[in-house]
């Protein structure tokens, strides 16, 4: 068993930003991450994924994104940037360490993990005063409707988190379910080689050619709106939070016209069930397809937190990341934690700073002496 003042769970942009702010305040902590390498959650996305946010808005605190401000980094560039960030600020990340259970023993938190070594797996328990959960904006558990199990065995099913490129698809028609960012991107790509249908509610589109010079003028305005208008401090923001968490976001780079030009059949009906092994849409139409790609998002699975922290919708009961019912427990990186910016790379730093300020005000600096053996150099 080891002890430290703060355990951060997750070494994505949110957890690393918390690490940056804790380091600046000289606080002892460790970041535990299930992945093999920092940035792996980005590396695992589909091959052609490029950010829709320009590089000038993709920096974490203390280090700008190393690309021209109005370029659009590829997913592996983001992964490498995160890895370099952790190295530059000597953040104590322990990779291959999955947290299996978070519980409490009096006023201390108990973090039980399994550590994947090269040849073995061992258990680790860390005790601490504070825990910051930074395990993903929407969670990491693919969200797929229950009726997916009734699809014909001959239909290839992939969740967007499993999709890499069209070579995975079987010859024949593709149904992409869910018409937000990933659905738009994947349908556009699949249509180059397969007849493709994209179904799902129309979540709108930002009326701006994304890679045009007009974005240079519009982006500062959008950034302001995403941070200060669509914020949990405004009624409009609180309404938008529900939509952002439970429905898709509007198209940015890929527009309706791009999909039409690529030959994607766009159906605004939702998929409602299965008939004889084939997908049924809301208008009762049965589609004969060979492939279904579920772009239906992710869900929070916080069942490993053995504390009453979630509401009926499965999301944590927190305010700007602070869990009032469990002093010392925090979340960061949640969709709409403080504003629309919270889910973006460029928004991670401000939310992390708020959480760290709160955390350091409750854990006096004198507790620094109680440092995790080896945490400072742990990688
Ligand atoms: C397809 C797609 C496109 C996007 N495009 C953009 C974009 O253009 N611009 C932008 O700003 N944002 C974009 N985003 C949104 C956002 O940047 C991501 O959601 C981001 O990855 C969230 O970072 P995070 O640190 O909160 O979580 P993650 O990056 O998911 O990191 C969470 C980490 O926690 C670890 N973890 C999870 N559970 C455990 C556990 N029990 N124990 C230990 N470790 C655990 C995981 O291994 C992972 O490393 C996009 C997201 C997606 C999915």
């Amino acid at each position: 068993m080891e002890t430290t003042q703060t355990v951060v769970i997750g070494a994505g942009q949110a957890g690393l930003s918390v690490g940056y702010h804790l380091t600046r305040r000289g606080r002892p902590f460790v970041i535990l991450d299930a992945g093999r390498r920092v940035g792996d959650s980005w590396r695992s996305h589909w091959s052609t994924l490029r950010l829709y946010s320009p590089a000038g808005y993709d920096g974490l605190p203390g280090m700008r994104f190393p690309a021209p401000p109005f370029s659009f980094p590829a997913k592996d560039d983001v992964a490498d940037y995160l890895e370099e960030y952790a190295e530059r600020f000597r953040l104590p990340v322990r990779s291959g360490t999955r947290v299996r259970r978070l519980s409490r023993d009096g006023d201390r938190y108990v973090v039980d993990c399994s550590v994947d070594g090269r040849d073995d797996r061992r258990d680790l328990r860390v005790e601490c005063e504070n825990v910051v959960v930074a395990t993903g904006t929407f969670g990491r558990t693919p969200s797929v409707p229950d009726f997916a199990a009734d699809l014909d065995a001959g239909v290839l099913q992939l969740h967007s988190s499993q999709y890499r490129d069209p070579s995975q698809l079987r010859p024949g028609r593709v149904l992409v379910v869910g018409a937000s960012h990933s659905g738009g991107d994947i349908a556009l790509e699949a249509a180059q080689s397969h007849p493709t249908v994209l179904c799902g509610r129309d979540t709108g589109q930002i009326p701006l050619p994304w890679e045009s010079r007009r974005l240079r003028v519009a982006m500062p305005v959008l950034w302001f709106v995403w941070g200060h208008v669509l914020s949990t401090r405004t009624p409009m923001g609180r309404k938008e939070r529900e939509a952002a968490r439970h429905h898709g976001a509007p198209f940015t780079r890929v527009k309706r016209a791009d999909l039409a030009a690529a030959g994607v059949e766009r159906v605004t009906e939702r998929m409602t069930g299965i008939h004889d092994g084939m997908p049924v849409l809301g208008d009762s139409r049965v589609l004969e397809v060979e492939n279904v790609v579920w772009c239906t998002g992710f869900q929070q699975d916080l069942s490993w937190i053995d504390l009453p922290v979630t509401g009926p919708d499965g999301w944590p009961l927190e305010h700007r990341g602070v869990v009032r019912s469990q002093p010392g427990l925090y979340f960061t990186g949640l969709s709409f934690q403080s504003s629309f910016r919270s889910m973006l790379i460029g928004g991670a730093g401000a939310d992390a700073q708020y959480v760290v300020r709160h955390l350091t005000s409750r854990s006096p600096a004198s507790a620094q002496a109680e440092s995790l053996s080896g945490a400072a150099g742990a990688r």
Side-chain angles (χ1 to χ4, degrees):
M1 194 190 75
E2 301 179 4
T3 61
T4 187
Q5 191 179 63
T6 300
V7 169
V8 181
I9 306 173
Q13 64 212 29
L16 296 178
S17 301
V18 170
Y20 171 87
H21 287 295
L22 287 171
T23 301
R24 287 194 72 194
R25 285 166 177 75
R27 296 307 179 100
F29 68 98
V30 65
I31 305 178
L32 308 177
D33 195 284
R36 284 257 147 241
R37 272 171 80 187
V38 170
D40 274 356
S41 65
W42 281 97
R43 286 187 190 92
S44 65
H45 287 311
W46 63 91
S47 313
T48 54
L49 174 67
R50 281 191 309 135
L51 293 185
Y52 56 83
S53 52
Y57 292 82
D58 297 329
L60 295 183
M63 182 173 153
R64 64 174 201 86
F65 200 98
F70 278 92
S71 61
F72 296 91
K75 50 130 191 164
D76 288 350
D77 299 333
V78 183
D80 293 347
Y81 167 72
L82 295 182
E83 201 167 22
E84 204 186 315
Y85 187 86
E87 277 164 21
R88 164 138 3 146
F89 297 106
R90 301 177 60 77
L91 301 179
V93 178
R94 290 195 183 182
S95 300
T97 307
R98 177 170 291 282
V99 176
R100 300 277 175 200
R101 182 167 180 259
L102 170 62
S103 57
R104 260 182 103 144
D105 182 6
D107 56 3
R108 310 273 297 168
Y109 288 96
V110 180
V111 185
D112 285 305
C113 322
S114 57
V115 184
D116 279 331
R118 261 183 212 290
D119 313 307
D120 62 344
R121 172 178 284 197
R122 66 185 175 87
D123 295 332
L124 169 71
R125 170 169 284 190
V126 188
E127 274 195 17
C128 54
E129 282 173 40
N130 310 295
V131 173
V132 184
V133 179
T135 51
T137 313
F138 296 95
R140 306 284 315 161
T141 307
S143 175
V144 172
D146 291 342
F147 53 66
D150 299 329
L151 267 178
D152 189 278
V155 176
L156 176 82
Q157 297 189 52
L158 290 172
H159 184 263
S160 60
S161 58
Q162 300 166 307
Y163 174 84
R164 300 286 169 272
D165 59 60
S167 71
Q168 290 168 290
L169 301 171
R170 296 192 178 146
R173 291 182 92 192
V174 180
L175 173 64
V176 178
V177 184
S180 188
H181 285 154
S182 29
D185 279 13
I186 292 173
L188 191 70
E189 185 168 86
Q192 291 171 20
S193 47
H194 294 69
T196 301
V197 180
L198 171 62
C199 78
R201 222 167 57 90
D202 188 332
T203 54
Q205 61 182 12
I206 298 182
L208 181 75
W210 206 249
E211 302 204 13
S212 71
R213 292 187 72 81
R214 280 159 63 191
L215 188 69
R216 293 172 189 238
V217 180
M219 197 61 204
V221 179
L222 284 174
W223 195 248
F224 177 85
V225 170
W226 290 345
H228 298 288
V229 180
L230 298 181
S231 144
T232 53
R233 291 187 297 271
T234 67
M236 190 201 275
R238 288 191 288 276
K239 191 167 161 233
E240 189 57 32
R241 174 174 158 139
E242 287 314 298
R245 286 189 169 185
H246 302 289
H247 307 290
F251 286 152
T252 49
R253 179 182 292 114
V254 173
K255 308 283 196 230
R256 296 180 190 112
D258 299 322
L259 294 167
V264 174
E265 185 187 344
R266 179 73 180 93
V267 181
T268 52
E269 298 288 341
R270 291 160 61 89
M271 179 176 165
T272 52
I274 310 285
H275 177 75
D276 278 347
M278 289 295 147
V280 182
L281 303 183
D283 57 3
S284 306
R285 183 152 65 114
V286 179
L287 288 182
E288 295 287 328
V289 295
E290 281 68 33
N291 304 275
V292 173
V293 185
W294 299 105
C295 294
T296 37
F298 294 85
Q299 55 189 338
Q300 296 285 1
D301 176 9
L302 300 173
S303 54
W304 52 276
I305 302 183
D306 208 356
L307 297 163
V309 293
T310 47
D313 62 357
W315 284 75
L317 297 167
E318 47 73 42
H319 176 71
R320 294 196 66 184
V322 179
V323 181
R324 289 189 177 131
S325 65
Q326 305 289 336
L329 179 61
Y330 301 87
F331 284 82
T332 196
L334 295 173
S335 165
F336 238 104
Q337 184 161 308
S338 64
S339 72
F340 185 81
R341 273 188 209 165
S342 298
M343 71 170 181
L344 302 175
I345 305 167
D351 284 352
Q353 186 175 31
Y354 182 87
V355 159
V356 169
R357 269 203 205 122
H358 192 284
L359 183 157
T360 48
S361 69
R362 78 172 283 279
S363 283
S366 59
Q368 287 175 44
E370 189 193 1
S371 142
L372 173 68
S373 51
R379 291 255 143 193

